[in-house]
Amino acid sequence: MKLTDISVIRDVMTRHGFSFSKALGQNFLINPSVCPRMAEACHPGLPDGSFAVLEIGPGVGVLTRELSRVAAKVISVELDQRLLPVLEETLADCDNVTIVPGDILKLDVAALLAKHAADLPVVVCANLPYYITSPILMGLLESRLPLHCITVLVQKEAAQRLCAAPGTRECGAVTLAVQYYAGAEILFQVSRGSFMPAPKVDSSVIRLPLRGEPPCEVNNEALLFRLIRAAFGQRRKTLSNSLVSAGFDKATLLTALEVAGLSPTARAEELTLEQFAVLAAALDT
Ligand code: SAM
C-alpha cells in the first residue's frame, strides 16, 4: 500500500469516512522521499533492528511503515480515534507496531516505554502536529526519559528557533532550553507541497541527540530557566531591565551581573547558555 499516493489516501479516507482535522494539525506527508530519509536519520549510532521508536501522530501510517522497517519496535501514539480503524488496515502487515490511542501530552510516556520498549534504546521520530510542537518537545526533554535522539518534522520557523546559534535573532528561551538537554541540527528542508492538505508554510526535519550530562554546571535548574524565560520575555529591553521587571531585586542583580562578568546593558540573545548558568550561580549564593 503506497501511502504517499494521493488516490490511495483518498480511497482509504473515503472508505473509513475520515476527513482532515485542521485543529489536530493533520497535514499528511505525500512526498515519497521524506519518510525513508527520516527513518534512516533517526537512529544515529544504533544499527537497524536494535532500538525502539516512539512516534507521535501516525496519521494514516506513512512514516510508521518506514519506521517499522528499521526499528525492532514502533510505539505510535494517536489522539484522533477516527484514525484507529484506518491504521488497522494500513499497518496490517507491520507486526512490530503498537498503536496507542491517546494524547501525547497527557500519557505517562515512561510507563508506555517500560511496557512496550523493555530494555531497548529509544528514539523519537515524528511529523509533529504543529500546534503543540514546543510542549511536546519540552515535555520529552524535561521528562529525563532515557531517550537516545529526537528527530522531528516541524515548521521551518520553529526549526530555526529550536536550532538557532547564540547571538542570532532566532535565538530564544526555547533554543537555550533545547541546548541544555540536547544537540540540535537542521537535517533537511521539506516544502509545503510535500503535504496533503498543503500548509501555508514550509517545514524542516531537525535532529536533537540527547546529552548524557548538561553542557555546563548548574546547581539550581529552576533558577536558570526562570532567568532565561525572564530575560527573553522582554527581549527588546536590556538584560537588567527585563530581569528587574520580572521581579529580580535590582541591587542583587547588578552585583551578580558584575560577578558573572556581564554587562547590565547586554541583551538576552547575546548571552550563551554558559553565561546564563554563571549568572544563575552568582544569583544563587
Ligand atoms: N505522521 C503522519 C504523516 O506524516 O503523514 C501524520 C502527521 S500530522 C502532521 C500530525 C498527527 O498527530 C495527526 O495524525 C494528528 O491526529 C496527531 N495528533 C494531534 N495532536 C495529537 C496529540 N496531542 N497526541 C497524539 N497525536 C496527536
Side-chain angles (χ1 to χ4, degrees), residues 24-29 35 55-63 77-80 83 102-105 127-132 136:
L24 290 180
Q26 289 175 346
N27 300 98
F28 295 169
L29 274 164
C35 295
E55 186 194 15
I56 297 138
V60 293
V62 64
L63 176 60
V77 177
E78 177 55 61
L79 176 59
D80 191 341
L83 285 167
D103 182 341
I104 189 65
L105 297 177
N127 171 13
L128 289 182
Y130 71 95
Y131 72 106
I132 42 172
I136 291 177

Side-chain angles (χ1 to χ4, degrees), residues 86-108:
V86 174
L87 289 161
E88 233 168 79
E89 179 183 329
T90 58
L91 302 175
D93 55 336
C94 299
D95 297 338
N96 59 350
V97 175
T98 305
I99 300 293
V100 179
D103 182 341
I104 189 65
L105 297 177
K106 296 192 181 140
L107 280 178
D108 182 345

Side-chain angles (χ1 to χ4, degrees), residues 130 133-134 153-164 169-172 174-175 186 189-190 192 199-206:
Y130 71 95
T133 299
S134 285
L153 180 51
V154 298
Q155 289 195 343
K156 192 174 173 181
E157 288 70 22
Q160 285 166 345
R161 266 200 315 280
L162 291 161
C163 302
R169 210 162 45 90
E170 288 79 20
C171 184
V174 75
T175 317
I186 296 179
Q189 308 297 340
V190 181
R192 62 196 78 183
K200 290 199 175 71
V201 294
D202 295 323
S203 296
S204 310
V205 173
I206 63 169

